[in-house]
Amino acid sequence: ILNVEQSPQSLHVQEGDSTNFTCSFPSSNFYALHWYRWETAKSPEALFVMTLNGDEKKKGRISATLNTKEGYSYLYIKGSQPEDSATYLCASNTNAGKSTFGDGTTLTVKP
Amino acid sequence: GAVVSQHPSWVICKSGTSVKIECRSLDFQATTMFWYRQFPKQSLMLMATSNEGSKATYEQGVEKDKFLINHASLTLSTLTVTSAHPEDSSFYICSAGAGRGGYTFGSGTRLTVV
């Protein structure tokens, strides 16, 4: 993988459903993986910064895992709520200081 | 927490005019600020890295004479789109911080050139 890829591009779920999406990134020269939550007309908000293979981080109902050897990270949302509706961006940093963003996954949670 | 204030939030300008976008770090000093552009349904693309007191570093394919970046103080970086044309219409956003600390983003500027 040469670029940062996120899937799916968009996701529509019902309130209460649990969901997950994927960020794939180049595993060479890996330094850090960031997840951001971006609501319309607001600044992207940092959710997690992950650095170590096998890292698992949790913030409320949202959690993330990291596999640096195979180059992927999963973001999980348990019991989705309408306020979780946003675009979720991941960005991979190399040890050269370059950040590459994925296109984002847009989540819509229907009440 | 750290806050980056960006304005204007949106601007419409006539073709051929210049537009200045400001990003201020409100409660911290940002020696480095990053400027991104995002076209519809595409990812954030790094345009340049702004360094306080020195010249900006531009990414390949970004015209430095068209996108003027000034980082005159530790709390202010500006991006000026000179002689804007309709193809410059885009979403521009800045961020401070890097590496393992994560970024603090501004709220972005929607530029429409008519």
Side-chain angles (χ1 to χ4, degrees), chain A:
Chain A
I1 292 187
L2 299 178
N3 296 313
V4 176
E5 298 173 0
Q6 289 188 248
S7 62
Q9 186 175 30
S10 64
L11 198 53
H12 295 255
V13 301
Q14 289 294 133
E15 182 176 356
D17 288 349
S18 293
T19 186
N20 67 84
F21 16 95
T22 306
C23 173
S24 301
F25 55 89
S27 53
S28 60
N29 301 318
F30 174 82
Y31 188 71
L33 191 285
H34 303 171
W35 280 101
Y36 295 90
R37 181 172 176 276
W38 195 358
E39 289 183 76
T40 304
K42 294 185 178 179
S43 307
E45 171 198 358
L47 287 174
F48 304 114
V49 179
M50 309 177 79
T51 57
L52 299 176
N53 185 45
D55 251 356
E56 288 190 32
K57 296 216 171 176
K58 189 175 180 181
K59 188 176 182 178
R61 293 179 290 99
I62 305 176
S63 60
T65 60
L66 179 68
N67 183 320
T68 60
K69 293 183 179 180
E70 296 182 37
Y72 64 84
S73 175
Y74 293 137
L75 188 79
Y76 301 91
I77 302 178
K78 184 178 178 182
S80 302
Q81 299 296 310
E83 57 265 31
D84 295 329
S85 297
T87 295
Y88 292 83
L89 283 178
C90 70
S92 175
N93 278 34
T94 67
N95 51 23
K98 291 284 187 180
S99 286
T100 303
F101 284 82
D103 291 346
T105 292
T106 298
L107 173 67
T108 304
V109 182
K110 299 176 183 177

Side-chain angles (χ1 to χ4, degrees), chain B residues 20 57 59-61 67 77 84-85 102:
Chain B
K20 181 187 281 189
T57 304
E59 295 300 302
Q60 193 172 11
F67 298 100
S77 177
H85 291 285

Side-chain angles (χ1 to χ4, degrees), chain B residues 18-58:
Chain B
S18 295
V19 173
K20 181 187 281 189
I21 302 169
E22 291 189 351
C23 274
R24 292 180 185 273
S25 56
L26 296 186
D27 49 4
F28 67 102
Q29 293 181 333
T31 55
T32 302
M33 198 81 82
F34 302 92
W35 287 94
Y36 301 86
R37 180 167 57 182
Q38 185 184 38
F39 291 108
K41 299 190 185 299
Q42 295 186 24
S43 59
L44 293 173
M45 297 297 295
L46 181 66
M47 297 174 66
T49 302
S50 162
N51 303 295
E52 188 268 335
S54 64
K55 291 183 180 180
T57 304
Y58 290 82

